[in-house]
Amino acid sequence: GGTDAAGESGSDVADATVGTPWRVALRPEAADRVADEFVLSTRGQGLREAGTLEVRIGATDDPAVLSAEDAAFAIAGPTAEPTLLSDAGPSSSVRAGARARFDAAAPFEDVGPSRETLRASARDDLSTAFAAELDAALEGAERLDRRADANVLTLSLAVGARTDHLFGDVRTWAEHAGIAAREQFIAPRDALVDRGLVETIKTPIGRGHPHSRLRVADEALAECAPVELVDVLAERFAGRSGHGGGGDASSDRTPVWRR
């Protein structure tokens, strides 16, 4: 299907708009996982911007609650053995309790940018090609945990290398888009370079120090479809070569921007 104003697939938003807005109060540990899981957080923020979802953070001992105009759910009890409570009655005690828990919960601010924000800012700050590749990569990814080697930082740099961008431009865009601060991209860049996945080429531009241009140095990473980028990154960081190609940074190849 097409995409709506929030940048999410039409079916996702259609499912979320039944009895909207949904009000969700998460336990703190669940909120932390949402913030760390970039694919999930971009979808959640898109629904928030569309007005179909409101998210807050409850207390550690409170049940996680979800409520709408005509339904409510609460997940109570210990994490190892949770109990699901539900009631579709508009005046049910579960719904009243869920709404009270939601109203008492704290705002959830650290969700991150929506998919539409990423697309628009990438087009404006970098290029249409970068925006399209990143969007396809996120669409094809089931998970993109910030704590894994294949995360939103290494993905952004890999997309920058595939679309002929400067390292400084990619991390400046990422900071403006709300992904991460500029300085957080040093370690991911070094990890990509150390594993022979990406090279940096000094490029004199005007006066001052030369800039570092990103270049793909791994055949599988250069040749895969954008929708496969996250899987390929994860495979390469794990030392696997499931998509073919040698992955030898020193092998003879034509740079992606010349092909």
Side-chain angles (χ1 to χ4, degrees):
T3 57
D4 75 326
E8 310 308 323
S9 67
S11 60
D12 289 345
V13 174
D15 291 342
T17 54
V18 178
T20 57
W22 280 94
R23 299 178 180 90
V24 181
L26 300 172
R27 287 172 169 169
E29 62 270 21
D32 289 342
R33 288 197 294 271
V34 170
D36 284 339
E37 187 57 63
F38 192 77
V39 170
L40 178 60
S41 67
T42 61
R43 290 174 178 159
Q45 183 61 15
L47 295 172
R48 291 175 76 179
E49 292 176 3
T52 63
L53 178 67
E54 298 177 16
V55 184
R56 295 186 181 182
I57 304 175
T60 301
D61 297 330
D62 285 346
V65 297
L66 305 85
S67 66
E69 294 304 317
D70 55 0
F73 305 88
I75 303 172
T79 302
E81 298 180 2
T83 299
L84 176 65
L85 307 175
S86 65
D87 200 320
S91 60
S92 72
S93 59
V94 173
R95 182 175 178 275
R99 184 57 188 266
R101 292 289 189 186
F102 178 84
D103 290 342
F108 186 10
E109 304 292 352
D110 188 22
V111 179
S114 68
R115 198 73 58 81
E116 176 58 28
T117 295
L118 290 174
R119 278 198 298 264
S121 63
R123 285 193 300 262
D124 293 342
D125 295 348
L126 294 174
S127 67
T128 301
F130 182 98
E133 288 227 347
L134 180 67
D135 192 53
L138 293 175
E139 191 66 28
E142 292 186 7
R143 300 180 63 84
L144 196 59
D145 195 322
R146 289 179 181 269
R147 296 164 296 184
D149 289 326
N151 56 49
V152 65
L153 306 185
T154 51
L155 173 63
S156 297
L157 294 175
V159 172
R162 282 167 55 101
T163 52
D164 190 25
H165 284 288
L166 299 174
F167 170 63
D169 288 347
V170 172
R171 63 177 185 157
T172 296
W173 159 77
E175 184 173 66
H176 290 166
I179 294 175
R182 285 171 50 87
E183 58 270 17
Q184 293 184 29
F185 281 82
I186 302 297
R189 179 203 60 189
D190 292 346
L192 288 165
V193 171
D194 290 345
R195 287 163 176 79
L197 303 179
V198 168
E199 296 172 343
T200 57
I201 303 172
K202 295 297 183 182
T203 306
I205 300 178
R207 304 175 67 179
H209 296 292
H211 295 255
S212 294
R213 185 172 298 280
L214 297 166
R215 171 187 168 179
V216 178
D218 176 85
E219 185 177 349
L221 197 61
E223 299 294 344
C224 72
V227 71
E228 299 177 313
L229 263 171
V230 174
D231 286 343
V232 172
L233 268 177
E235 289 172 354
R236 300 319 245 179
F237 273 115
R240 301 192 299 271
S241 56
H243 284 72
D248 179 5
S250 63
S251 63
D252 185 22
R253 66 179 57 83
T254 304
V256 66
W257 59 89
R258 297 190 185 279
R259 286 201 303 268

